[in-house]
Amino acid sequence: MHPTPAQPRPEHPHHRAARDREIESLAEFDEVVATHGTLGQYRVQAVDLTDRTDVLLTTDTAGAVFLGCPMSPEAAARIGASGALVFPPVPDLPFDPYRPFVHSPEELFESLDAGYEATPDARSYAWFRRTTADGDIFASMLRSIHDDAVSDALDELLVGARVVGVMGGHAMARGTAEYAGAARLGRELARDGFMVATGGGPGAMEAANLGAYAAPFDDGMLDESLELLAKAPSFRPSITDWAGAAFEVRERWPDGGPSVGIPTWFYGHEPPNAFAAYIAKYFANATREDGLLARSNAGVVFLPGAAGTVQEIFDNATPNYYESRGEPTPMVLVNEAHWSERLPAWQLLTSLAGERAMASRIALVDRIEQASQALKRLSA
């Protein structure tokens, strides 16, 4: 289920044409061959072609690019000789650098029953730490390819969606009133037709993704879910127990509403949350941070947080100030005491806005229940 956008975001014609030439599944591969009789100039991305040797030996592949596609040596030799480029799969990696789609919770948490350390998410973080420590240029290249593939997949996923970013700290614990409020915010935004996007981690981020997951169900589902999750209030000391509680909720109420989480292995000690249907996880935190804010085309809600959330406020304010991404998008800060006294970002934000267009697109509200209405008001 995807929210229906009020104003679909048009794609540039060149972008549409490029994506029309991407093959990201075996079904697409077979359809292109059957319909067009050629693979020339196509980009085939992480599709297992070991059972398509006869096709690869007999079909035109001039100018095609095969990214991480398993295939027979005979087929690889033939299409390489025909003028195609073949980037073979990289063995012994805990992730696919050429991936055609964003991650899913099931993928990242596979083997959770054996403990979080056995999951692809944990093993990718261990690989990241090891390869950054030894400065391996090949590993650096693989990280860049992976992150670019994730960005491409995320752009394809969000075409036409009205995306609202919800930012907040990872320390917000399950079982608190603040966590429940963030979850209700995510639910309200999803029910209003927005695609909720968060930093994809624990705390406020998980709460907003949980709320979007709960959107199709009656209101009692969220209340019961909050009670179940409170049994494992934090990812410390056990990520296994924390994630396990989330999957217990998902199993009890399957097929929840969609939302996006955009976490990073740069902060790999913070696990991704299991309530975002789509997880775009990056190695490069700078790419992740800018990408999350840039894709929040319908505005951003900033819940109480610390240094990371302060950074996100002004990372978002800068393009709004210069209008470098077009018309400024709404910014709603939640909790007057937090953003006016404890960390007085609001005063600086209003001073920065001055008489610029962004001045009419910022708001400070005291209670999280006011955030959604403020966002609508600023959008209008």
Side-chain angles (χ1 to χ4, degrees):
M1 181 184 74
H2 292 274
T4 302
Q7 295 180 320
R9 183 178 60 199
E11 278 196 283
H12 192 285
H14 294 311
H15 293 173
R16 285 199 300 272
R19 287 175 182 157
D20 286 345
R21 304 198 72 82
E22 290 181 7
I23 297 175
E24 299 173 330
S25 69
L26 197 57
E28 275 189 281
F29 179 89
D30 291 339
E31 181 182 355
V32 167
V33 172
T35 304
H36 302 290
T38 179
L39 293 166
Q41 305 302 321
Y42 278 87
R43 279 75 177 104
V44 190
Q45 193 173 349
V47 178
D48 190 340
L49 299 175
T50 51
D51 291 333
R52 296 296 186 272
T53 298
D54 290 345
V55 175
L56 294 173
L57 292 178
T58 57
T59 304
D60 169 42
T61 56
V65 179
F66 294 83
L67 299 168
C69 298
M71 64 181 71
S72 69
E74 182 184 12
R78 186 263 168 182
I79 63 178
S82 75
L85 287 176
V86 180
F87 294 80
V90 181
D92 302 323
L93 284 179
F95 63 93
D96 182 357
Y98 301 110
R99 58 179 310 110
F101 308 111
V102 296
H103 312 83
S104 69
E106 294 83 358
E107 174 194 350
L108 290 176
F109 284 104
E110 184 182 2
S111 303
L112 182 64
D113 289 346
Y116 173 69
E117 293 73 16
T119 65
D121 186 65
R123 291 189 291 113
S124 296
Y125 178 47
W127 177 91
F128 172 64
R129 295 186 68 186
R130 183 175 66 254
T131 57
T132 50
D134 62 24
D136 183 356
I137 185 62
F138 180 56
S140 176
M141 181 192 74
L142 292 174
R143 292 194 296 271
S144 297
I145 292 172
H146 170 274
D147 285 2
D148 189 66
V150 167
S151 290
D152 181 69
L154 186 57
D155 285 338
E156 291 179 5
L157 172 71
L158 295 178
V159 167
R162 293 186 300 158
V163 182
V164 172
V166 179
M167 310 298 166
H170 68 269
M172 184 184 288
R174 296 168 173 175
T176 63
E178 292 77 13
Y179 185 96
R184 286 191 290 270
L185 171 65
R187 183 178 63 184
E188 183 174 359
L189 291 171
R191 288 177 173 175
D192 286 340
F194 294 109
M195 176 68 86
V196 173
T198 77
M205 297 171 278
E206 180 189 52
N209 288 128
L210 166 64
Y213 187 89
F217 302 99
D218 62 48
D219 290 356
M221 175 271 181
L222 182 56
D223 294 335
E224 290 184 60
S225 297
L226 292 170
E227 289 183 15
L228 287 172
L229 294 171
K231 297 175 184 177
S234 173
F235 64 94
R236 296 186 178 99
S238 173
I239 296 176
T240 304
D241 292 345
W242 175 84
F247 279 103
E248 182 181 347
V249 170
R250 287 169 50 96
E251 289 167 10
R252 184 168 175 181
W253 292 280
D255 303 319
S259 65
V260 176
I262 307 181
T264 173
W265 280 294
F266 183 80
Y267 298 130
H269 59 286
E270 296 179 14
N273 78 73
F275 292 111
Y278 308 109
I279 302 178
K281 191 156 190 177
Y282 288 88
F283 288 106
N285 186 49
T287 304
R288 167 254 192 169
E289 288 275 9
D290 184 68
L292 171 55
L293 294 167
R295 291 175 176 88
S296 296
N297 56 12
V300 183
V301 177
F302 297 92
L303 302 178
T309 311
V310 171
Q311 177 183 343
E312 288 162 347
I313 289 173
F314 292 103
D315 280 348
N316 196 50
T318 300
N320 280 346
Y321 179 89
Y322 289 112
E323 299 186 44
S324 55
R325 294 178 184 144
E327 186 178 347
T329 53
M331 299 176 64
V332 179
L333 279 61
V334 177
N335 191 314
E336 291 180 4
H338 187 84
W339 294 121
S340 292
E341 301 169 16
R342 197 167 302 119
L343 296 173
W346 176 246
Q347 289 88 326
L348 181 54
L349 184 62
T350 53
S351 297
L352 188 67
E355 297 181 359
R356 290 181 172 264
M358 68 176 287
S360 64
R361 294 297 181 94
I362 61 174
L364 173 64
V365 299
D366 194 40
R367 302 191 316 276
I368 199 166
E369 293 81 9
Q370 300 169 309
S372 181
Q373 288 302 316
L375 186 75
K376 295 175 188 176
R377 184 179 74 251
L378 298 179
S379 298

